[in-house]
Each structure stands twice: as structure tokens, then as C-alpha cells.
Amino acid sequence: HEPEKDLLDFEECSRNITVEEKKEYFVLYERRKGDYHNLSENWGDFIDRYREFITPDTLFLDVTYDDPSIVTVENCLYDVCMTVDREDPRLQLQKTAAVGITSRVQSETLPNTMVIPGGKFAVYRYKGYPQLIYKAYQSVFSNWLSETGNRIDNRISYDIYRRIDEDCYMEIDIC
């Protein structure tokens, strides 16, 4: 990981951060455990598996739960997610009238869904390559957050992928 002296200072972070009211996102997701460097491979598998749910309005998100400077990389927990229509019949529950049992329609192996809560978030607009994203995270949490006096609450943080090029250049909203 990058040495702390290479972190972006408060002013540099502030130029890339806005405080925004984010809506909640209903997402289809898969939970993974392991090195965050495997995200690109996991994304390819995830998109192939759930391609039929992708629409022009779909957003791709990830939720990372662990800091790899604290947790061993093979134990880092994360979710790869995509927004889906909450009313999609392939995701709906139905009551079986005769038994009163709630079950998912047409499949025993439907994907997991969850709601990523909305609310006020600091949003860091990251533009760059994956190998430098850790520096951005550490800069936000170590420098910007501590200097503003803001605190992390109990909601999950997440990333929204806005652009990924073939050369791996990416634009991500870190929320």
C-alpha cells in the first residue's frame, strides 16, 4: 500500500468531494470474500451471469466491508451489485395460497437482493487507475474526514462505477 506521506491532503481531497443526498438503490448482488484486486474478474463473471437484468438505467456498484490494511486480504468481504427494477417479476415473492408459504417465482436459485440506503453522503469522484484507488480511500478517511469533523455512521459505504475503459482507467463515485 501507499505510504501515508503520499496521501492527498485535505485541500486536494476537498476538490473532488461533494456532499450529496443519495437515493436508495435496490440491487441484485453477490457477496465475495478475498482480495479486492480480484474485483475485475468477479465483475466479468457477475455481469455474464445476470446480463438479462441489465437495462440502459442499470448502475454497477460495489460495497466493501473491510480495510485491507487491517484485515488480511484473503478475508476481505465485498459485494458486487447492480441496480434492478424492484418490480421485476423474476425477483418477486408470491404467496402459495394453499399453504401460505412465501416463495420466489419460477426459480429456486434467484439472486440475492438488498436495499443500499440513501441519505447524505460525502462523494469522492475518483478518476484514475485501480492501483491508485487505495490511496484515494485512505486520503478521504485519514485526511478529509478527520479535518471536517464529520463521522462515519452505521450505513454501508459503496462505490458507483461511472466509467471503466479497456485500459482499466475508471471513474467511480466513492460514497
Side-chain angles (χ1 to χ4, degrees):
H1 299 296
E2 303 288 322
E4 193 164 311
K5 65 181 169 68
D6 291 339
L7 297 181
L8 302 175
D9 64 22
F10 175 76
E11 289 77 23
E12 290 173 295
C13 282
S14 293
R15 284 193 288 274
N16 293 313
I17 292 177
T18 56
V19 176
E20 301 176 14
E21 193 70 30
K22 304 298 283 182
K23 66 179 191 171
E24 71 177 24
Y25 296 105
F26 183 74
V27 298
L28 178 154
Y29 75 97
E30 286 186 358
R31 180 148 297 160
R32 303 294 175 98
K33 183 178 178 183
D35 193 334
Y36 293 151
H37 290 118
N38 297 333
L39 268 170
S40 61
E41 183 179 310
N42 292 322
W43 270 114
D45 295 343
F46 179 78
I47 289 169
D48 287 346
R49 191 169 7 272
Y50 300 112
R51 187 168 303 284
E52 74 270 12
F53 289 96
I54 299 173
T55 71
D57 296 325
T58 299
L59 293 176
F60 296 95
L61 304 91
D62 71 42
V63 177
T64 54
Y65 296 97
D66 298 303
D67 180 343
S69 70
I70 299 170
V71 176
T72 57
V73 292
E74 63 271 4
N75 288 315
C76 288
L77 194 62
Y78 58 97
D79 298 332
V80 289
C81 314
M82 61 190 252
T83 57
V84 290
D85 180 359
R86 188 184 300 259
E87 303 304 319
D88 189 313
R90 295 168 292 183
L91 301 172
Q92 296 305 303
L93 299 175
Q94 75 177 15
K95 287 266 186 182
T96 306
V99 192
I101 298 172
T102 302
S103 62
R104 293 205 171 179
V105 178
Q106 298 177 334
S107 175
E108 295 175 17
T109 58
L110 285 173
N112 296 317
T113 58
M114 70 174 165
V115 173
I116 295 176
K120 188 186 279 190
F121 283 84
V123 179
Y124 181 91
R125 306 239 186 264
Y126 176 76
K127 296 179 180 184
Y129 292 90
Q131 56 270 38
L132 298 177
I133 199 165
Y134 181 78
K135 176 179 173 180
Y137 278 108
Q138 292 301 331
S139 298
V140 170
F141 291 108
S142 297
N143 292 341
W144 185 84
L145 195 60
S146 63
E147 289 220 22
T148 63
N150 289 310
R151 293 189 313 241
I152 298 174
D153 60 19
N154 62 355
R155 291 173 299 161
I156 58 176
S157 61
Y158 58 93
D159 303 326
I160 302 173
Y161 291 77
R162 301 293 185 183
R163 173 182 169 184
I164 299 178
D165 295 345
E166 284 187 31
D167 69 351
C168 295
Y169 172 84
M170 55 179 42
E171 295 180 6
I172 297 176
D173 289 350
I174 299 172
C175 306

